[in-house]
Amino acid sequence: MPESVVGSWCGGQNDAPGGHWTYVFSGDGSVAAKNREGGFSGYVVTQGDVMIFYVEGSEPFESTWSVSYEEALGTNLLFLDDYSYVPGGCDS
């Protein structure tokens, strides 16, 4: 797992029925994600700009990803499938 991704991130689609997602990525590749409607956990493998998510009971799925510094916010943003995520967890 790239060091730039390790940690908690809050964001996603603003009008999603379940609200924003919190993703927690660990250095060993494990991931946990949740929103108001539920969540999942598993592990992630990165290949270039693609993350492949392996979740028990589901087929693997892919997301494009990048991390870039946002000058106006003074922090890095994680982008998953073109949705932005800020450092930290969220409740909505």
Side-chain angles (χ1 to χ4, degrees):
M1 179 60 58
E3 185 64 33
S4 61
V5 178
V6 173
S8 297
W9 299 89
C10 171
Q13 186 176 342
N14 286 334
D15 60 353
H20 289 116
W21 282 89
T22 297
Y23 281 86
V24 181
F25 294 96
S26 298
D28 66 0
S30 61
V31 62
K34 66 177 182 172
N35 69 4
R36 287 193 312 252
E37 294 183 344
F40 64 88
S41 62
Y43 67 96
V44 173
V45 174
T46 59
Q47 295 179 347
D49 66 348
V50 174
M51 283 187 181
I52 304 168
F53 289 79
Y54 295 91
V55 177
E56 190 172 335
S58 299
E59 290 293 318
F61 62 93
E62 297 182 358
S63 293
T64 58
W65 75 278
S66 66
V67 174
S68 60
Y69 185 74
E70 177 55 52
E71 189 78 35
L73 298 175
T75 191
N76 282 332
L77 295 180
L78 169 65
F79 291 89
L80 290 175
D81 294 330
D82 296 323
Y83 291 107
S84 62
Y85 294 78
V86 297
C90 52
D91 295 323
S92 63

